[in-house]
Amino acid sequence: MRAVRFAGDGAVRVGPVAEPVLKDPADAIVRVRRAAICGTDLHTVAHGTSLGLGAVLGHEFAGEITALGPAVAGHRIGDLVVGGDFTACGTCWWCRRGDHWECGQRRFFGTGGAFGPPLDGAQAELVRVPFADTVLRAIPDGVSLDAAVFLGDTLATGYAAVQRGGLVPGDCVAVLGGGPVGQLTSLVAQACGAASVVLAEPIAGRRDLAVREGALAVAPENARELIDRLTEGRGADVVIDAIGGPAGLDLALATVRRRGTVVSVGVHTGPAWPMPVADAFAGELTLRFVIGDFLRDADPICALVRSGAVDPTVVASETVPLDAASEAYRRMGERRTLKTLIAL
Ligand code: ZN
Ligand code: ZN
């Protein structure tokens, strides 16, 4: 079969690879119909340290089950399903709490050894899915493949950010960063009753998209001024940092109100960040770090899309065949596209 594979030196190439087979009774094999390219893929390929040469990339996928191990009880061959971006056993202490990310069986599709033992990715004609009863979810009626491919990671992250932010109707929500996660976070916040969503983003085209989709958009340096106008100078009730790193956290603390909540879903890899603890203490600030968990949140995420409250496809800038994935990676890396879907 063909798959998107790490070619070394920051590049990917579409090439042949052996078809996956069932290895464990809880496995499924899925024929991928849609995959998506994610910022995590770009980062993983650019750094390359966790990837073996030839590793199959991709962790966002939807498709059709073609084979099932004997222990899988919740799916049938031919079912259309969407996958989470990582695996978990579904039965350990962490999984029973809904903290699948902490499962000892966690493996993240298509990212080499970055987040657990390597597991071949889903930008491929077929993908092997361990713990299929936990990792796969039937695509609800009325949800397209183009929408479904967002559920497992991008929308799961946006949903977790809003939910962990403790948003209540009427809140002013600031979303920092207008990448795919930031855009979908804005949609979820609106669907969950935010009175206003301010999306801070330096790229004009990304601000335009946010405005078309119901947010107020602003350059980051002007974010506080706009938020002050909306909140009588208090600051945002909830700030969701979808940038990551010190810049995202600094802007979050500069825009949140006293006794407000900052949720960071941007990626952090640096060792430390100087937090202004005296202000944070006096203002009784809440700061949370959040990782999306489709395995936990699949029900509300599916409901948001099925009801029409959120249409994640608005962030898809192009759909390409598998053979064109290499150039699509490059365009997305150069920020000429926002989010690429791969149709198989
Ligand atoms: Zn992703
Ligand atoms: Zn577990």
Side-chain angles (χ1 to χ4, degrees), residues 104-341:
Q105 303 290 328
R106 182 186 78 213
R107 300 171 77 184
F108 200 103
F109 291 96
T111 49
F115 308 106
L119 179 64
D120 278 345
Q123 289 164 4
E125 292 178 281
L126 297 165
V127 60
R128 180 177 77 90
V129 180
F131 303 110
D133 276 330
T134 302
V135 176
L136 295 176
R137 178 62 65 119
I139 297 175
D141 289 343
V143 174
S144 68
L145 287 167
D146 285 344
V149 75
F150 287 95
L151 302 184
D153 182 9
T154 317
L155 191 57
T157 303
Y159 177 79
V162 169
Q163 200 260 330
R164 295 287 170 103
L167 177 115
V168 294
D171 275 355
C172 173
V173 177
V175 177
L176 312 181
V181 169
Q183 299 283 350
L184 293 193
T185 301
S186 166
L187 299 189
V188 174
Q190 292 175 60
C192 293
S196 51
V197 174
V198 174
L199 186 137
E201 161 63 44
I203 299 176
R206 296 181 175 195
R207 290 200 300 269
D208 293 344
L209 171 61
V211 169
R212 279 200 303 280
E213 297 302 325
L216 302 164
V218 66
E221 60 271 24
N222 300 325
R224 178 72 204 211
E225 187 189 337
L226 173 57
I227 292 164
D228 279 348
R229 282 211 302 275
L230 295 166
T231 61
E232 298 173 333
R234 289 189 300 271
D237 301 300
V238 179
V239 179
I240 295 166
D241 158 33
I243 302 172
L249 291 172
D250 287 340
L251 184 56
L253 291 202
T255 49
V256 70
R257 70 161 164 81
R258 295 170 68 81
R259 289 170 163 70
T261 299
V262 168
V263 177
S264 185
V265 291
V267 175
H268 298 277
T269 51
W273 161 71
M275 180 168 179
V277 285
D279 285 350
F281 171 65
E284 211 180 43
L285 185 74
T286 299
L287 169 59
R288 306 190 69 159
F289 295 88
V290 166
I291 294 172
D293 187 341
F294 180 66
L295 314 183
R296 176 187 62 219
D297 296 330
D299 283 348
I301 291 166
C302 289
L304 280 172
V305 176
R306 188 182 187 182
S307 69
V310 169
D311 176 7
T313 65
V314 298
V315 304
S317 36
E318 63 173 353
T319 301
V320 302
L322 185 66
D323 287 330
S326 171
E327 296 75 31
Y329 261 75
R330 201 171 311 125
R331 284 191 294 277
M332 209 170 132
E334 292 165 354
R335 300 198 162 201
R336 288 155 61 199
T337 51
L338 180 62
K339 181 83 177 177
T340 299
L341 305 190

